[in-house]
């Protein structure tokens, strides 16, 4: 039984391809061979090639393993880090506190 193909919108595929290219450039800047990075990540060279091409069928954990092999694992924390839209939507639903009425004196 074969794998089901993952179909992404073109804009999403473009983002994933750019991510793969960034991973490849990080590997090349470090002067690490594909074989060494694949070995450190515990994957095959073919899988590393798929990561560097931005394949949507590669598991996110595999992308993280490659980032770890490149010492870039903390970069995963940058995903959705500053969710500006989400914060604005959250702020719209915050209850407005009303003050208690002032009492007439003592």
């Amino acid at each position: 039984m074969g794998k089901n193909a993952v179909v992404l919108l073109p804009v999403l595929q473009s983002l994933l391809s750019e991510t793969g290219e960034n991973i490849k450039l990080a590997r090349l800047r470090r002067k690490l061979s594909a074989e060494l990075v694949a070995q450190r990540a515990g994957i095959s060279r073919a899988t590393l090639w798929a990561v560097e091409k931005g394949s949507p069928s590669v598991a996110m954990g595999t992308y993280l393993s490659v980032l770890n092999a490149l010492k870039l694992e903390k970069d995963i924390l940058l995903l959705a880090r500053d969710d500006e839209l989400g914060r604005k939507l959250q702020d719209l639903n915050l209850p407005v506190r009303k003050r208690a009425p002032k009492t007439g004196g003592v």
Side-chain angles (χ1 to χ4, degrees), residues 3 10 12-15 17 24 29 31 36 42 60 65-66 69-70 83-84 86-87 89 93-94 96 98 104:
K3 287 186 176 182
L12 298 179
Q13 182 57 58
S14 177
L15 290 171
S17 295
K24 180 179 181 178
R29 282 190 293 271
K31 298 184 186 211
L36 179 61
M60 188 169 182
S65 292
V66 172
L70 297 170
D83 181 13
E84 191 174 321
R87 289 184 190 274
L89 292 171
N93 290 324
L94 290 177
V96 177
K98 296 181 180 176

Side-chain angles (χ1 to χ4, degrees), residues 2 15 20 24 40 45 55 63 77 81 89 91 99 101 103:
L15 290 171
K24 180 179 181 178
R40 287 181 180 177
R45 282 183 24 208
S55 172
Y63 278 90
L77 297 174
R81 180 175 170 205
L89 292 171
D91 289 346
R99 296 184 81 166
T103 57

Side-chain angles (χ1 to χ4, degrees), residues 13 16 32 44 59 88 97:
Q13 182 57 58
L16 196 52
L32 298 173
S44 69
K88 286 180 181 178
R97 296 182 186 230

Side-chain angles (χ1 to χ4, degrees), residues 27-67:
R27 176 179 64 79
L28 294 174
R29 282 190 293 271
R30 287 162 176 73
K31 298 184 186 211
L32 298 173
S33 69
E35 186 174 339
L36 179 61
V37 172
Q39 183 181 23
R40 287 181 180 177
I43 60 175
S44 69
R45 282 183 24 208
T47 301
L48 177 61
W49 179 80
V51 167
E52 291 181 348
K53 290 291 182 187
S55 172
S57 64
V58 177
M60 188 169 182
T62 303
Y63 278 90
L64 189 54
S65 292
V66 172
L67 289 172

